[in-house]
Amino acid sequence: MGGPLGAIIGRYPTGSDGDGEMAGGGIIRHNRKCRDLVFLVIFIAFWVAMIVNSSFGFNQGNPLRLTYGLDYKGNVCGNKHADPDLRELEVRYWMNPNQVYESGLKSSQFKLADARSICLMECPVPSDDGLNWICDYPEGDIRLTVDDWIDRDYDYYEFLTPEMRNSSLQLQGPCYPVIYPSVNVLWSCQFIARASNVSSRHWQQMGGVNIQEDIIIDKTIHKAINSPSAVLKRYVADIGKAWPVLIVCGGILPLFLAVFWLLMIRHFVSGMTWITVILFNALVISVTMLYYAKAGWIGNDAVSVVIGESDPYVNISGRELNHLRAIAVLMTVVMIVAFLSSIAIVRRILMATSVLKVAAKVIGEVQALIIFPILPYAILAIFYMFWLSAALHLFSSGQISRNDCNANCCSFDLKANKVNCDNCCGYSIHYTPHIAAAILFHLFGCYWATQFIIASSSTVIAGSVASYYWARGEISEIPFLPVFSSLKRLMRYSLGSVALGSLVVSIVESVRFILESIRRRLKHTDTTNLSHIGKMTSFSSNCCLGCIDWTIRSVNRNAYIMIAITGKSFCKASAIATGFDHE
């Protein structure tokens, strides 16, 4: 070709490179060959692996595990397929306060996961004039249905035999006293370390064993609720619960606005640059004010981690609230930078107006460009729905099995009608290393697939715009339906090149993410302050990775343009785009 950057600086490509690729005589080279087939095969194999990996999650996972806890039978609260049916029983309550206390002692090997818990509709509270009981699910000699058990506030103490009552007074079930008030915090009953005097007195008068009263009672549950793994699971579960909002606000509305924006550029090109800048700043300011409100700094709409009543330790447990405050500070910085940048680039905004006029003319001549973005957008939407569903199942996969706690505790078995000390350990979801690998593979797959679809869209648009750009106003030289002609060339010849380009970006970004995670972990594990050299090295390496990532993205964009025009392989197109090709 006449110049390596002919497509970019606007020179009409002339001549031939000896492969006969200009034999067609058209604006875009049509005599092409399939390029980078090896990477296309790799991409197809990767997708097969993604489907297999996702099928494992669908088979082993249950998204309910991300939100709700396990009961003393190993059932997930809220699971309608459990025994018994727990579809309305979503709140986990620890029945034996002494077990909760013991699990909070540093010298104890007994863990909260081994404490006896049950699924209820709401957290119980002590009685004002007596003693309330929470009893096991009705079975064995207890002739009650689950609905009757719920209607009786989970209490059938009056139906117990003398042996069962004596066992209950020893905190071995099947019924346990409600001594401490509790509140629903993230679908678990958070104890409040203020025992009811009335209930305690009745418990003592009945001859019940001594119940420990200490702040450890509620701090133990609080610590479990706010552990890093529990917080991560809740974040993932929130995405699953918010899918209607994500579809409308993150999918349908942006698509409508994007098409509307293209139409506005087509008809109001002169003022669109200024309108865009003003609306962008208004959006940044609005989002910043929203985070200020949600962080509690403006108004009374602070987000709390509590579902229902107030958390007695909101100053300790407000992890999510602290995150919102950090984001509010970050958005303040972004708002200031955006506003100052808008003032600083006024001259460039004037230049952008002339560029938009060219874009408006292209949209007017190649009107399919307005409709085409709907196709990759729809493909991405379908992919994200599949990916998100598989991610929820993968994050919740694992085997529910009884813990090996070696604890000296006993509980009444209603089916065997006796106290059983062999199976008192609780249940937990046990994850294997291959599940973590499957999750990482799934995350990488999302990024690669997203980059691939975006790269394909960019290549198609570049090919169709080049058809118009080099026609020099000659409508007869523009191929019929240039967008679909460009899409056909991509599907037939250049999918491998696009797969290679998107893979390069995905790998670099993944390496950058991994190194940043390692850096943060080392920073938290190191009790001493990093030296100035260490901080400088960490900062420099992060900046270098960021520059490499930005450079690769920039080169890739130009490479996709050259792939659409010349049909070259990705490496060859990158060399042409960067000026390193000297044919």
Side-chain angles (χ1 to χ4, degrees):
M1 36 186 306
L5 297 178
I8 299 174
I9 64 177
R11 289 183 290 182
Y12 189 97
T14 58
S16 174
D17 59 359
D19 294 334
E21 291 187 302
M22 289 296 291
I27 300 168
I28 303 295
R29 300 187 178 189
H30 296 285
N31 188 14
R32 300 177 176 232
K33 298 178 182 179
C34 293
R35 307 289 186 177
D36 299 317
L37 285 178
V38 174
F39 293 95
L40 179 59
V41 173
I42 293 175
F43 184 73
I44 295 174
F46 183 86
W47 259 101
V48 173
M50 277 281 290
I51 294 174
V52 174
N53 189 53
S54 300
S55 64
F56 166 78
F58 286 118
N59 184 47
Q60 299 291 332
N62 180 1
L64 290 177
R65 300 173 185 172
L66 299 175
T67 304
Y68 310 112
L70 303 177
D71 64 7
Y72 66 89
K73 288 189 170 185
N75 297 319
V76 180
C77 294
N79 187 3
K80 63 181 180 180
H81 301 297
D83 181 24
D85 187 352
L86 303 177
R87 71 182 66 198
E88 296 180 351
L89 307 175
E90 299 176 337
V91 181
R92 176 175 53 175
Y93 173 72
W94 284 272
M95 307 170 73
N96 190 335
N98 277 358
Q99 286 185 343
V100 176
Y101 177 83
E102 182 183 354
S103 66
L105 297 175
K106 294 182 179 180
S107 59
S108 175
Q109 295 182 350
F110 191 81
K111 304 301 180 183
L112 185 62
D114 298 315
R116 194 172 186 81
S117 61
I118 194 171
C119 302
L120 307 177
M121 292 185 68
E122 57 187 12
C123 295
V125 294
S127 173
D128 293 333
D129 55 1
L131 181 63
N132 291 340
W133 297 84
I134 298 295
C135 301
D136 290 346
Y137 303 125
E139 56 185 352
D141 293 338
I142 306 301
R143 307 298 181 182
L144 287 176
T145 65
V146 174
D147 291 335
D148 292 336
W149 172 69
I150 295 174
D151 292 339
R152 295 178 58 87
D153 291 332
Y154 326 106
D155 182 0
Y156 51 75
Y157 182 80
E158 62 181 283
F159 300 145
L160 299 183
T161 63
E163 180 186 3
M164 292 180 180
R165 293 192 178 190
N166 181 64
S167 175
S168 297
L169 293 174
Q170 300 300 315
L171 288 181
Q172 294 180 348
C175 293
Y176 296 83
V178 181
I179 303 296
Y180 292 97
S182 59
V183 294
N184 182 355
V185 180
L186 300 169
W187 308 105
S188 293
C189 291
Q190 167 79 66
F191 284 164
I192 301 176
R194 295 192 299 269
S196 169
N197 294 330
V198 175
S199 299
S200 297
R201 185 168 60 252
H202 277 80
W203 173 254
Q204 293 171 1
Q205 291 173 355
M206 296 175 68
V209 299
N210 181 51
I211 292 180
Q212 302 289 342
E213 294 188 36
D214 196 289
I215 194 72
I216 294 177
I217 289 290
D218 50 9
K219 281 194 172 181
T220 300
I221 297 176
H222 175 83
K223 182 179 179 180
I225 292 173
N226 289 278
S227 64
S229 60
V231 172
L232 175 61
K233 288 180 179 180
R234 287 200 299 272
Y235 282 166
V236 176
D238 287 345
I239 296 175
K241 288 186 175 182
W243 65 266
V245 177
L246 294 176
I247 290 177
V248 175
C249 297
I252 298 176
L253 186 59
L255 177 62
F256 171 78
L257 291 176
V259 175
F260 175 75
W261 208 253
L262 288 175
L263 292 174
M264 291 286 289
I265 291 176
R266 173 71 181 90
H267 298 285
F268 303 100
V269 61
S270 299
M272 282 307 296
T273 309
W274 298 104
I275 293 175
T276 303
V277 173
I278 294 172
L279 289 182
F280 173 76
N281 282 276
L283 177 63
V284 172
I285 294 173
S286 300
V287 172
T288 304
M289 294 301 103
L290 174 64
Y291 277 110
Y292 268 76
K294 292 302 180 182
W297 290 339
I298 297 178
N300 299 314
D301 192 27
V303 170
S304 173
V305 298
V306 181
I307 300 175
E309 301 181 31
S310 297
D311 185 353
Y313 294 96
V314 67
N315 292 329
I316 302 175
S317 65
R319 182 192 298 263
E320 286 83 355
L321 188 60
N322 290 334
H323 290 176
L324 286 172
R325 289 174 176 173
I327 295 175
V329 174
L330 176 63
M331 286 303 303
T332 303
V333 176
V334 172
M335 178 182 67
I336 296 173
V337 172
F339 182 74
L340 295 178
S341 299
S342 300
I343 298 175
I345 61 172
V346 171
R347 184 172 298 178
R348 291 184 175 272
I349 292 176
L350 295 174
M351 295 174 58
T353 303
S354 60
V355 176
L356 270 183
K357 290 181 180 179
V358 178
K361 191 174 182 181
V362 174
I363 294 174
E365 298 292 346
V366 189
Q367 297 184 5
L369 286 175
I370 299 178
I371 303 175
F372 171 74
I374 298 177
L375 177 61
Y377 199 89
I379 295 174
L380 274 176
I382 295 172
F383 167 73
Y384 282 145
M385 286 189 289
F386 161 78
W387 183 89
L388 179 59
S389 178
L392 290 173
H393 284 82
L394 278 173
F395 269 91
S396 61
S397 58
Q399 295 294 330
I400 296 179
S401 57
R402 188 181 291 274
N403 299 330
D404 184 15
C405 62
N406 297 322
N408 183 19
C409 60
C410 303
S411 60
F412 198 93
D413 189 339
L414 286 173
K415 288 186 177 180
N417 198 26
K418 65 177 183 179
V419 175
N420 190 336
C421 299
D422 297 330
N423 298 317
C424 80
C425 296
Y427 288 83
S428 296
I429 303 174
H430 296 275
Y431 298 94
T432 56
H434 76 273
I435 295 179
I439 293 174
L440 293 176
F441 182 84
H442 195 68
L443 293 173
F444 180 79
C446 174
Y447 201 78
W448 189 7
T450 301
Q451 292 296 323
F452 178 83
I453 295 172
I454 294 175
S456 299
S457 176
S458 301
T459 305
V460 171
I461 293 175
S464 57
V465 171
S467 298
Y468 165 83
Y469 184 71
W470 276 337
R472 298 298 184 186
E474 297 293 335
I475 304 300
S476 59
E477 294 187 21
I478 302 177
F480 180 71
L481 296 178
V483 172
F484 297 99
S485 299
S486 181
L487 177 62
K488 180 180 177 181
R489 292 192 296 272
L490 169 72
M491 298 291 292
R492 186 171 180 180
Y493 301 109
S494 304
L495 282 179
S497 300
V498 171
L500 174 56
S502 57
L503 176 61
V504 171
V505 175
S506 302
I507 292 176
V508 172
E509 189 68 20
S510 299
V511 171
R512 181 185 176 189
F513 175 79
I514 293 172
L515 293 178
E516 178 65 17
S517 300
I518 294 174
R519 186 188 67 83
R520 290 182 179 180
R521 178 167 296 184
L522 291 176
K523 182 178 179 181
H524 287 298
T525 55
D526 190 3
T527 56
T528 60
N529 294 327
L530 290 175
S531 63
H532 293 292
I533 297 178
K535 291 181 179 179
M536 186 183 303
T537 303
S538 176
F539 180 77
S540 300
S541 61
N542 196 32
C543 289
C544 289
L545 286 172
C547 292
I548 293 172
D549 179 52
W550 180 87
T551 302
I552 289 178
R553 289 174 181 271
S554 178
V555 171
N556 276 11
R557 283 194 294 269
N558 291 334
Y560 297 145
I561 294 173
M562 300 311 299
I563 289 172
I565 296 171
T566 65
K568 297 287 188 179
S569 65
F570 174 78
C571 295
K572 187 72 171 179
S574 298
I576 296 174
T578 53
F580 286 100
D581 180 73
H582 302 287
E583 290 187 354

